[in-house]
Amino acid sequence: MSSARIGVYPGTFDPITNGHTDIILRATKIVDRLVIGVARNIGKGPLFSTDERVEMVREEIAHLAGTEARQRVEVKAYDILTMHFAVEEGATVIVRGLRAVSDFEYEFQMAGMNNRLNANVETVFLMANDKYQFIASRFVKEIAQLGGDVSHFVSPRVLRRITARFASNGKKKVAAKR
Ligand code: ADP
């Protein structure tokens, strides 16, 4: 058996924000290999398709500081139970980011349920960096949709995608009205 510690960081990443990227970088310090699991999550009605979300996460990994860490990170889409995905990947750790108060109840419950499903996989929480504490993909989308500046919350690459998405959505709406 290999002794490499494998971790899975699951999420919707719709889109990936600076808060997510910070968690990814920090998670590479506690696991040897990190698999970022991009959940298909059709139920959440994502703005970006699964392929786009995977692509955006990959682009951010390519820009991560430190080549060494970059080489230990992989990105995969999944549509099974997160615990099953973790086991398939050979992970012993599920990494989650925890923002003050807002995330606690949901994450606490989820970690408890996952522990009942499989006690061999431990959920590990990394406290959100105070710089990124207030960043949430949902708000980034809402602000951008209404023309607000989200450049402090996402990378320039993600910003270009969001801007393009809302520009084309706007055009579609105008076209539909005609
Ligand atoms: P989900 O659909 O599971 O909520 P998200 O893509 O929104 O997935 O988030 C994935 C993980 O990243 C969650 O653990 C979430 O709490 C964490 N996270 C999201 N935004 C931040 C942030 N700004 N700082 C730290 N962790 C975050």
Side-chain angles (χ1 to χ4, degrees), residues 87-134:
V87 170
E88 259 183 23
E89 293 301 320
T92 49
V93 170
I94 292 176
V95 177
R96 296 288 287 177
L98 201 61
R99 286 160 292 188
V101 198
S102 62
D103 287 331
F104 184 80
E105 196 172 339
Y106 175 78
E107 294 290 343
F108 180 68
Q109 208 163 9
M110 174 97 96
M113 301 276 277
N114 277 334
N115 178 265
R116 297 298 190 287
L117 290 175
N118 185 347
N120 297 321
V121 178
E122 205 58 60
T123 304
V124 171
F125 294 100
L126 296 180
M127 291 296 174
N129 185 315
D130 58 359
K131 281 193 284 186
Y132 308 127
Q133 188 70 245
F134 302 104

Side-chain angles (χ1 to χ4, degrees), residues 55-167:
E55 222 172 271
M56 280 189 277
V57 177
R58 289 208 175 117
E59 277 168 18
E60 294 319 299
I61 304 304
H63 286 84
L64 269 191
T67 359
E68 189 278 325
R70 232 181 285 162
Q71 285 161 356
R72 295 188 285 112
V73 182
E74 248 185 288
V75 188
K76 292 186 182 179
Y78 76 101
D79 52 12
I80 54 176
L81 210 53
T82 297
M83 183 54 82
H84 292 168
F85 176 65
V87 170
E88 259 183 23
E89 293 301 320
T92 49
V93 170
I94 292 176
V95 177
R96 296 288 287 177
L98 201 61
R99 286 160 292 188
V101 198
S102 62
D103 287 331
F104 184 80
E105 196 172 339
Y106 175 78
E107 294 290 343
F108 180 68
Q109 208 163 9
M110 174 97 96
M113 301 276 277
N114 277 334
N115 178 265
R116 297 298 190 287
L117 290 175
N118 185 347
N120 297 321
V121 178
E122 205 58 60
T123 304
V124 171
F125 294 100
L126 296 180
M127 291 296 174
N129 185 315
D130 58 359
K131 281 193 284 186
Y132 308 127
Q133 188 70 245
F134 302 104
I135 306 179
S137 299
R138 183 163 71 90
F139 294 130
V140 166
K141 286 181 281 189
E142 283 179 17
I143 294 168
Q145 187 167 22
L146 297 171
D149 177 11
V150 293
S151 59
H152 296 296
F153 311 137
V154 297
S155 75
R157 297 164 290 282
V158 173
L159 181 64
R160 276 196 292 275
R161 295 233 194 194
I162 299 179
T163 310
R165 177 55 43 95
F166 286 124

